[in-house]
Amino acid sequence: MPAVGNEKKFPRKDNAFMAKESISYQEYDSRVWSHREFHPNEVYLEWFAYMLLGIFIALTAMLMDVIEESLVHFKDHFTQDQIDEGNLFGSWLFYASFSAFLGVIASTMTTFWGPGAAGSGVAEIIGYVNGVNYPETIGVNTLVTKVFGVVLGVAGTLCIGKEGPLAHIGGIIGALVLYIPGNIF
């Protein structure tokens, strides 16, 4: 005799969930949004926040690109100089060890200092926006680790890209822009 209430029937016939209502997450439909104070300069502050967000993300991406190109330029030119001198084994050893060194630094930073930076970043931001409590997704340690981890990983010839991490970096910068000292937003 099966246990009562442990029946596996799909779809349910009793419609127990029809009485439940999902929460509306649309700002303009909520009571908090409709009863809050409205400031006349709010629209301008919102656009100012968007402008700051774009500037900070662009500066971060530019900084990442400059550091990455400098590291790759140093590695390639030093290796080419060794090849021109006829030291093939030394050039191979430098290229491999320098790439491994950059990868070890990036992975050590991610493991011990900013574990929230592990992964591409797109899935973490999507989960965070949808309400998943993913620890250390947004934070300064995660931002610094993600920026320098991606730069060192790409310069170390790891098979990674910058697109997913830049989405995560943009999300972190967006959260940090809202907490600029002075609380103007």
Side-chain angles (χ1 to χ4, degrees), residues 17-33:
F17 294 105
M18 294 298 285
K20 297 187 186 263
E21 183 180 337
S22 64
I23 299 172
S24 175
Y25 287 105
Q26 300 294 329
E27 295 184 325
Y28 49 83
D29 289 338
S30 71
R31 277 187 251 145
V32 173
W33 180 262

Side-chain angles (χ1 to χ4, degrees), residues 24-135:
S24 175
Y25 287 105
Q26 300 294 329
E27 295 184 325
Y28 49 83
D29 289 338
S30 71
R31 277 187 251 145
V32 173
W33 180 262
S34 61
H35 295 331
R36 70 182 183 84
E37 272 186 49
F38 180 75
H39 297 288
N41 295 332
E42 188 172 326
V43 174
Y44 301 114
L45 288 174
E46 186 177 333
W47 279 102
F48 183 67
Y50 293 145
M51 183 184 69
L52 285 179
L53 179 63
I55 290 170
F56 289 150
I57 292 173
L59 288 175
T60 304
M62 185 185 74
L63 174 74
M64 289 173 65
D65 196 44
V66 166
I67 294 172
E68 175 195 326
E69 285 188 18
S70 299
L71 288 170
V72 169
H73 181 75
F74 168 73
K75 180 176 65 171
D76 290 345
H77 281 279
F78 189 84
T79 303
Q80 188 62 45
D81 290 343
Q82 292 295 317
I83 291 172
D84 291 342
E85 292 175 5
N87 187 3
L88 294 178
F89 180 73
S91 64
W92 173 83
L93 185 64
F94 172 76
Y95 193 86
S97 61
F98 190 73
S99 296
F101 177 69
L102 294 178
V104 166
I105 291 174
S107 62
T108 303
M109 283 179 65
T110 304
T111 303
F112 296 110
W113 197 59
S120 76
V122 175
E124 288 84 357
I125 290 298
I126 289 172
Y128 189 79
V129 168
N130 285 324
V132 176
N133 186 14
Y134 189 70

